[in-house]
Amino acid sequence: MTLPSFPTLESLPAAEHPSLVAPPVAVALAGWPDAAEVAVVEIDADLADTAAMSQAYEIPMTASGNCVVVAGSRAGDERIAACVVRADTRADVNTLVRRMLDVRKASFLPMDRAVEETGMEHGGITPLGLPEGWRVLVHEALLDEPVVVLGSGVRSSKLLVPGRLLARLPGAEVVPGLGR
């Protein structure tokens, strides 16, 4: 099987290189039947932010996925979702995500809390390996991309995932119009 790749990055089988990803991501990869199709690439940690990475490694923004964590509550019940959107869009938090979570107000989870609860680094949070009970909302547009670049849980690497597999992430819900 050919691993997903970009000409400017060296792809390695992600499941065979757990030291290149955050521990919860390594655990998730080990248990995911589709992990054999996922690659990991080392990058300069100073270029982990999407725009810098896209420019430095010549990756189209449409081939990058950003994962943002959103929370809201209703009747004292907190509801959290990781939203994976194409990097040239923003998650529709105030309308679509708020309705999907069935909360009055949805907002980004504070970064320190997101980092602590995911066991992942700021700038590397990814939909693979998230805490149990978190919803994973995936922007439908990403499914059409041959390869999607996602965080790996750490800033010094990225995952390369065939877009079609995003619908098969554990707990994934494909959402049309999630990114605007």
Side-chain angles (χ1 to χ4, degrees), residues 24 34 51 72-73 112 119 140-141 162 166:
D34 295 310
S73 62
D112 58 340
E140 181 182 52
L166 296 178

Side-chain angles (χ1 to χ4, degrees), residues 62-156:
T62 55
S64 291
N66 287 334
C67 183
V68 296
V69 181
V70 177
S73 62
R74 178 175 287 283
D77 177 35
E78 184 177 53
R79 300 161 188 196
I80 299 176
C83 303
V84 186
V85 296
R86 209 170 65 190
D88 65 339
T89 68
R90 291 176 176 236
D92 183 4
V93 173
N94 295 320
T95 306
L96 184 58
V97 176
R98 180 185 56 78
R99 274 198 318 258
M100 290 187 75
L101 292 177
D102 190 27
V103 296
R104 288 183 190 261
K105 182 182 178 195
S107 48
F108 296 105
L109 197 66
M111 186 51 64
D112 58 340
R113 186 169 164 214
V115 166
E116 181 180 334
E117 292 188 26
T118 63
M120 300 179 201
E121 295 177 2
H122 173 189
I125 293 177
T126 191
L128 199 59
L130 293 171
E132 192 171 320
W134 285 20
R135 292 176 72 178
V136 178
L137 309 179
V138 177
H139 186 190
E140 181 182 52
L142 287 169
L143 304 183
D144 295 330
E145 292 298 323
V147 180
V148 176
V149 178
L150 296 172
S152 66
V154 297
R155 292 182 61 85
S156 59

